Amino acid sequence: QLHVGGINHGENLFMFAKHKASGFEPGKIYTLSFDISLLASITTDVPSDSLRFKVGASVIEPMPIINNRFYTLNIDKGNENTDGSNMVLIGSIVPNNSLNTFKVSNASSNYNASYKTTADSNGNLWIIVGVDVPKGAQADVYFSSIKIVVSTS
């Protein structure tokens, strides 16, 4: 089980996990189909759709960088409810009761999404899954299963 967690003390907090995948044909376009099961908790009262879940891929390793004294991501993940060139929004994680225990918005606790990307000149990709956390919230996300099927476009 994979866990990401944190407290958003500022305007933006993006928690993510990454994995380098290799063996692809350089420059070829691939479709990545994600099937992800997760559970999450949040300790602050926030709007029910404000914990946003994203998936994607990049030819460069996703890393935090300092930009004008603030940490940001070196790839384009988009912001909160928007897609970026390297990641797409696939849904929100919403509360299931008044105790602020959160789980995914559908009954099966699974997210399914597809994303198109191109392998780098060495046949590598960085796979990314992540969550945008609302201001003032503390969130914990537990990924119990991340399955990715790769096909050529």
Side-chain angles (χ1 to χ4, degrees), residues 6-36:
I7 302 170
N8 186 354
H9 293 290
E11 290 297 319
N12 296 299
L13 174 63
F14 184 69
M15 305 182 302
F16 68 98
K18 63 185 178 182
H19 176 77
K20 185 177 184 179
S22 58
F24 298 100
E25 185 176 325
K28 190 164 190 170
I29 298 173
Y30 291 91
T31 299
L32 308 178
S33 298
F34 292 82
D35 181 10
I36 300 171

Side-chain angles (χ1 to χ4, degrees), residues 13-18 60-67 70-75 77 128:
L13 174 63
F14 184 69
M15 305 182 302
F16 68 98
K18 63 185 178 182
I60 60 171
E61 180 179 5
M63 298 178 60
I65 57 172
I66 296 176
N67 184 6
F70 295 97
Y71 282 99
T72 187
L73 202 56
N74 66 337
I75 63 165
K77 67 163 189 67
I128 315 137

Side-chain angles (χ1 to χ4, degrees), residues 6-140:
I7 302 170
N8 186 354
H9 293 290
E11 290 297 319
N12 296 299
L13 174 63
F14 184 69
M15 305 182 302
F16 68 98
K18 63 185 178 182
H19 176 77
K20 185 177 184 179
S22 58
F24 298 100
E25 185 176 325
K28 190 164 190 170
I29 298 173
Y30 291 91
T31 299
L32 308 178
S33 298
F34 292 82
D35 181 10
I36 300 171
S37 297
L38 62 86
L39 293 174
S41 66
I42 195 160
T43 59
T44 306
D45 291 327
V46 294
S48 64
D49 66 346
S50 60
L51 198 60
R52 294 182 175 88
F53 185 43
K54 296 183 175 189
V55 299
S58 173
V59 294
I60 60 171
E61 180 179 5
M63 298 178 60
I65 57 172
I66 296 176
N67 184 6
N68 294 327
R69 301 180 328 181
F70 295 97
Y71 282 99
T72 187
L73 202 56
N74 66 337
I75 63 165
D76 182 11
K77 67 163 189 67
N79 285 317
E80 297 177 359
N81 62 350
T82 63
D83 294 343
S85 61
N86 298 113
M87 298 189 81
V88 293
L89 175 69
I90 63 169
S92 295
I93 303 170
V94 298
N96 68 343
N97 61 33
S98 61
L99 299 175
N100 284 337
T101 300
F102 280 52
K103 66 179 183 180
V104 296
S105 59
N106 56 14
S108 66
S109 298
N110 290 333
Y111 278 105
N112 296 293
S114 293
Y115 179 79
K116 287 191 178 191
T117 190
T118 304
D120 72 10
S121 61
N122 296 314
N124 299 316
L125 287 172
W126 285 91
I127 310 296
I128 315 137
V129 296
V131 179
D132 268 313
V133 179
K135 183 177 181 179
Q138 177 177 346
D140 289 284

